[in-house]
Amino acid sequence: MKVKTVLRLAAANLGRDDLVAQINDCAAEPTGDLSALLRCFNLVENEIALDYFPLTREQRLCAPNGVIPLHRLRETPVGVLGVEDAEGRKLSFEVHPAAIRLPAYGGRGRVTVRYTYSPREKCLMGDSDFSGRISARLLALGVSCEFCLSHGSFAEAATWEKKYREALRAANIVRKRLSVRARRWI
C-alpha cells in the first residue's frame, strides 16, 4: 500500500481537507503539517513492526569463517529467528553486536538467515512494508493518534488511540470456526 494513501486517510480522519489537498498536489519534499504527518506514519509503522506484527525476511548468505556481518543483511535486523545450512538443517548461532556467529558451522556453502527487521523510513511516494492484516485504515488510525499527540490535542488523541488499539486487536484475532455445543439434559 502507498504511504500517500495512508496519509490521505489520516488527514481525512482529522478533518483536514487542506492536508488532503496538499498530499494530492505534493511533488517536492513535504513541509509543515504534511512533514509531521509523514513522521507520524514512520513512527506508527515502526511501532507495529516492533511490538505487534514483526516483519520477517529470509536471506541466503555465505559464511566463510562461520561469521555473518550484520551489515550484509538487506534490512536492519531486530532479532534473528534461525539459521539453516544448504540442506535445511538448523544451525546453532550467537548474535553479537556486529555479526552472527555460527560456532559449529564448517563454512561450506551458503546459509539461510531468517530474521525480523525494522522498516526503513518512508517518503511520501514510498510503499509500506505491511500488507494483508495491516490495512491502510489501521495505519491511518495510528497516524491520526500520533498527529494529535504531537499537536497537543490529547482528548482527540485518546479517541484515535482507542480505535487504533481495537483495530490492532482485531487484526491479531485468529478466527475459529463457530460451533454450538450440544445441550445436555440432566
Side-chain angles (χ1 to χ4, degrees):
M1 86 190 76
K2 296 282 186 197
V3 172
K4 202 172 188 179
T5 305
V6 174
L7 296 185
R8 224 182 273 126
L9 284 170
N13 284 347
L14 297 167
R16 296 282 308 266
D17 293 333
D18 59 322
L19 270 178
V20 173
Q22 196 176 354
I23 292 166
N24 291 334
D25 299 337
C26 188
E29 189 67 27
T31 57
D33 280 346
L34 183 54
S35 175
L37 205 61
L38 182 60
R39 183 178 49 78
C40 291
F41 172 83
N42 286 316
L43 289 171
V44 168
E45 187 180 47
N46 199 30
E47 175 190 0
I48 292 172
L50 295 178
D51 296 340
Y52 300 103
F53 294 93
L55 295 167
T56 59
R57 176 151 312 212
E58 281 188 10
Q59 190 173 342
R60 290 181 54 103
L61 299 162
C62 289
N65 300 327
V67 177
I68 303 168
L70 291 178
H71 71 271
R72 292 190 44 214
L73 297 174
R74 273 187 236 128
E75 304 292 341
T76 306
V78 173
V80 178
L81 302 174
V83 180
E84 295 178 353
D85 64 7
E87 287 81 36
R89 290 184 299 245
K90 295 185 185 296
L91 300 172
S92 63
F93 62 91
E94 300 168 354
V95 181
H96 295 274
I100 301 169
R101 299 203 186 279
L102 308 170
Y105 183 64
R108 297 170 307 281
R110 299 177 82 110
V111 295
T112 302
V113 180
R114 183 174 151 92
Y115 60 97
T116 59
Y117 66 94
S118 176
R120 293 182 181 159
E121 280 201 17
K122 307 294 185 299
C123 63
L124 189 62
M125 299 301 174
D127 289 321
S128 174
D129 286 344
F130 288 106
S131 62
R133 287 185 151 178
I134 306 301
S135 65
R137 177 185 169 275
L138 191 151
L139 284 167
L141 291 171
V143 171
S144 300
C145 173
E146 285 293 327
F147 187 81
C148 289
L149 279 174
S150 67
H151 283 74
S153 304
F154 300 115
E156 193 175 351
T159 303
W160 288 116
E161 182 170 15
K162 183 177 182 238
K163 291 181 179 185
Y164 169 59
R165 300 290 173 206
E166 287 173 359
L168 277 171
R169 197 172 11 264
N172 197 20
I173 293 175
V174 177
R175 306 274 187 225
K176 294 181 182 175
R177 207 177 104 197
L178 295 176
S179 62
V180 178
R181 291 179 52 189
R183 290 188 176 214
R184 299 208 170 133
W185 300 96
I186 297 180

